[in-house]
């Protein structure tokens, strides 16, 4: 059973008000006596005790019907919610109380059909649609049976004309009562469906809000990763080259000051470039790193910088048959830049080869060196490698690394171009 109903927390306060109103009307009939007819003797009330007053229990049953009405009213304060068995027992007890009120009540028995309306209303709150239909049909059936029983009781003391009139009124009243039950059932179904829709909408809105927060957090994380990649790929490359220039100048400062000065000048240029990269990364993270120059020219600049920093001139071959989208140009430039940075820092290579070609709707970038290599099963967690892989995957490409200790390293990037206009 559910806890006692509180009006402010009840989902349908108006239903409670309607139920209490119907109960009050029914109870008033037990207090207010019916008007007397002067023209002819008043007929007995249409109840078992009204027709058979000599029954031994007739002194108790009218009061029992009043107690039944009180019990029926109090049952509305608690409704079963979970157990199906409790719901069925609850409904059966309600029906028994209504029958007692209708059959044994004297003054207010004529308005007992109002209780069936309350029964149907309560059933809509505890049962699903099949249960509601069963309770509604059962209520109407019991009403017809009770009406027929009253008609038979009425025949004991009424004339044929009165019997015919009572039969006509009973038929009309049964029709009106049946339509009332159908109306109540349809109204309750509509109200409950609207409430269920609002609950589903509230749940959907809450899920949508949670998804929006997740997407916002994911977008923030991706943006942070993108900014980190931009800073790492641009500033990291310049600082690595700058560090190599300063180390070389420091070694040559005593033996060959003139050549050391050349390396210092190059270091100054790299420092200026690093400062410019920082400003661009902070102020315009979405700017094109190629700075309006072609991809071929940008790779050539990276090769020249690599040559100045390491004394090794990369051998590069570029064969692009058509223009590429800016996002692909940027990704290829950053991957190349990061590859040169890794070679400068770790490879100790003497030869670097780069090949960029387009064949049959596919763009392939290959960067290979003859350095000391590494074990790809253990050394693929660096930010630089993750950055290159993420950039490749972001444009729908495939990223592969082939390397072994003492055998150099080969990076292959394949990017499908089937969606481009050739």
């Amino acid at each position: 059973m559910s806890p006692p109903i509180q009006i402010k927390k009840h989902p349908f306060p108006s239903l409670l008000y309607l139920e209490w109103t119907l109960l009050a009307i029914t109870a008033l009939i037990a207090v207010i006596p019916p008007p007397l007819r002067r023209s002819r003797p008043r007929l007995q009330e249409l109840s078992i005790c009204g027709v058979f007053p000599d029954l031994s229990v007739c002194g108790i049953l009218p009061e029992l019907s009043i107690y039944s009405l009180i019990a029926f009213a109090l049952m509305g304060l608690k409704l079963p919610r979970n157990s199906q068995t409790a719901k069925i027992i609850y409904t059966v007890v309600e029906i028994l109380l209504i029958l007692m009120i209708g059959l044994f009540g004297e003054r207010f028995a004529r308005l007992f059909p109002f209780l069936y309306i309350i029964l149907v209303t309560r059933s809509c709150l505890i049962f699903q649609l099949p249960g509601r239909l069963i309770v509604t049909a059962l209520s109407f059936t019991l009403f017809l049976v009770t009406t027929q029983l009253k008609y038979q009781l009425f025949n004991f003391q009424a004339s044929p004309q009165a019997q015919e009139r009572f039969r006509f009124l009973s038929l009309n009243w049964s029709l009106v009562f049946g339509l009332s039950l159908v109306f109540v059932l349809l109204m309750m179904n509509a109200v409950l469906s609207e409430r269920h829709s609002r609950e589903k909408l509230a749940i959907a809105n809450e899920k949508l809000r949670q998804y929006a927060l997740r997407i916002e957090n994911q977008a923030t994380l991706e943006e942070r990763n993108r900014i980190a990649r931009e800073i790492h790929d641009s500033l990291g490359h310049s600082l690595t080259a700058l560090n190599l220039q300063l180390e070389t100048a420091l070694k040559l400062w005593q033996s060959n000051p003139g050549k050391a000065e050349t390396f210092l000048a190059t270091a100054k240029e790299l420092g200026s470039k690093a400062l410019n990269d920082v400003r661009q990364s902070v102020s315009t993270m979405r700017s094109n790193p190629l700075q309006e120059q072609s991809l071929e020219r940008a790779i050539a600049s990276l090769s020249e910088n690599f040559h100045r920093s390491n004394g090794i001139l990369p051998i590069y071959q570029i064969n692009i048959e058509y223009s590429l989208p800016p996002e692909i140009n940027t990704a290829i430039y950053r991957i190349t830049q990061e590859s040169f940075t890794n070679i400068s820092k770790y490879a100790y290579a003497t030869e670097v080869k780069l090949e960029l070609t387009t064949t049959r709707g596919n763009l392939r970038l290959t960067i290979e060196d003859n350095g000391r290599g590494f074990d790809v099963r253990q050394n693929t967690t660096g930010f630089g490698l993750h950055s290159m892989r993420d950039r490749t995957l972001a444009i729908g490409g495939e990223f592969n690394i082939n390397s072994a200790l003492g055998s150099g390293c080969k990076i292959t990037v394949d990017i499908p171009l089937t969606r481009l206009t050739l």
Side-chain angles (χ1 to χ4, degrees):
M1 301 289 286
S2 64
I5 295 177
Q6 299 180 11
I7 299 178
K8 295 182 179 179
K9 296 182 179 180
H10 193 272
F12 307 107
S14 58
L15 294 181
L16 277 180
Y17 300 145
L18 176 61
E19 177 178 325
W20 293 342
T21 301
L22 294 178
L23 288 172
I25 293 175
T26 306
L28 284 176
I29 304 302
V31 178
I32 303 176
L36 299 177
R37 298 179 182 271
R38 298 179 179 178
S39 59
R40 56 182 177 179
R42 181 175 60 86
L43 295 177
Q44 296 289 338
E45 293 290 340
L46 296 182
S47 65
I48 292 179
C49 290
V51 179
F52 303 103
D54 296 333
L55 289 176
S56 59
V57 294
C58 284
I60 301 176
L61 290 181
E63 296 181 358
L64 183 60
S65 63
I66 297 176
Y67 297 147
S68 299
L69 178 63
I70 296 175
F72 182 83
L74 294 177
M75 288 182 67
L77 299 178
K78 285 188 177 182
L79 299 177
R81 297 290 186 181
N82 300 322
S83 175
Q84 189 70 16
T85 303
K87 295 178 181 179
I88 295 175
I89 295 175
Y90 180 88
T91 304
V92 171
V93 172
E94 284 187 312
I95 293 175
L96 292 177
L97 292 175
I98 293 176
L99 290 177
M100 292 179 63
I101 297 171
L103 292 176
F104 303 119
E106 294 183 354
R107 295 180 177 179
F108 59 90
R110 290 174 296 175
L111 290 180
F112 85 97
F114 287 150
L115 302 181
Y116 281 123
I117 296 179
I118 298 176
L119 174 65
V120 172
T121 302
R122 291 177 181 177
S123 69
C124 290
L125 296 176
I126 62 177
F127 289 112
Q128 298 297 323
L129 182 60
R132 301 170 192 171
L133 294 175
I134 293 175
V135 173
T136 302
L138 183 61
S139 299
F140 185 67
T141 301
L142 292 176
F143 172 79
L144 293 180
V145 172
T146 308
T147 302
Q148 181 63 26
L149 180 59
K150 287 189 174 185
Y151 175 73
Q152 294 177 0
L153 296 177
F154 186 79
N155 289 339
F156 284 100
Q157 51 185 338
S159 63
Q161 295 81 2
Q163 294 179 15
E164 186 66 23
R165 182 178 179 183
F166 183 79
R167 181 188 304 172
F168 177 76
L169 293 176
S170 298
L171 179 62
N172 290 340
W173 178 234
S174 299
L175 179 61
V176 172
F177 179 71
L179 293 177
S180 300
L181 290 181
V182 173
F183 173 76
V184 170
L185 179 63
L186 294 177
M187 180 192 70
M188 289 298 301
N189 286 336
V191 172
L192 292 172
S193 298
E194 190 270 340
R195 179 196 176 197
H196 182 64
S197 299
R198 283 192 284 110
E199 290 178 348
K200 291 177 62 177
L201 181 60
I203 295 174
N205 288 335
E206 179 62 21
K207 290 183 177 180
L208 182 61
R209 188 185 68 83
Q210 294 177 0
Y211 291 154
L213 290 177
R214 292 180 184 177
I215 293 174
E216 182 180 357
N217 293 336
Q218 184 65 24
T220 301
L221 180 61
E222 291 179 356
E223 182 66 11
R224 288 175 179 175
N225 290 336
R226 188 187 70 83
I227 294 174
R229 286 197 303 267
E230 293 290 339
I231 295 177
H232 179 272
D233 294 347
S234 59
L235 183 59
H237 174 77
S238 299
L239 292 180
T240 299
L242 174 61
N243 186 57
L244 292 175
Q245 295 295 320
L246 293 176
E247 288 181 355
T248 305
L250 184 60
K251 292 178 181 178
L252 297 176
W253 181 254
Q254 297 293 336
S255 60
N256 193 345
K259 192 171 183 180
E261 186 176 354
T262 302
F263 281 98
L264 289 175
T266 304
K268 182 179 181 302
E269 294 178 1
L270 292 173
S272 299
K273 183 178 182 301
L275 180 60
N276 185 54
D277 288 340
V278 171
R279 291 173 177 172
Q280 291 182 352
S281 297
V282 173
S283 60
T284 56
M285 291 301 299
R286 299 182 184 274
S287 63
N288 186 1
L290 276 66
Q291 297 180 351
E292 306 300 331
Q293 58 183 339
S294 64
L295 181 59
E296 294 89 335
R297 180 55 191 161
I299 292 178
S301 299
L302 290 177
S303 299
E304 293 173 2
N305 293 335
F306 185 85
H307 180 236
R308 287 198 303 267
S309 302
N310 301 277
I312 303 172
L313 181 62
I315 301 173
Y316 61 90
Q317 180 181 354
I318 300 177
N319 183 18
I320 301 178
E321 299 178 357
Y322 39 83
S323 60
L324 301 174
E327 60 271 16
I328 294 182
N329 285 334
T330 300
I332 294 298
Y333 175 82
R334 292 303 192 191
I335 293 172
T336 302
Q337 186 182 52
E338 181 59 32
S339 298
F340 284 174
T341 300
N342 287 344
I343 293 172
S344 298
K345 294 167 65 176
Y346 309 115
Y348 298 99
T350 59
E351 184 177 293
V352 179
K353 295 181 181 179
L354 182 147
E355 184 177 0
L356 181 63
T357 58
T358 54
T359 56
R360 295 182 180 180
N362 186 75
L363 175 67
R364 167 166 288 191
L365 170 66
T366 303
I367 303 175
E368 185 176 3
D369 67 79
N370 63 347
R372 62 180 183 176
F374 60 92
D375 187 353
V376 295
R377 295 173 297 179
Q378 299 180 0
N379 297 301
T380 58
T381 58
F383 190 85
L385 293 177
H386 274 296
S387 175
M388 289 188 283
R389 182 179 288 107
D390 291 344
R391 289 185 183 277
T392 304
L393 296 178
I395 54 178
E398 182 179 351
F399 182 84
N400 293 303
I401 301 178
N402 293 320
S403 181
L405 292 174
S407 300
C409 178
K410 182 178 180 180
I411 293 176
T412 305
V413 176
D414 289 305
I415 302 174
L417 303 176
T418 54
R419 291 179 295 178
L420 299 179
T421 303
L422 306 182

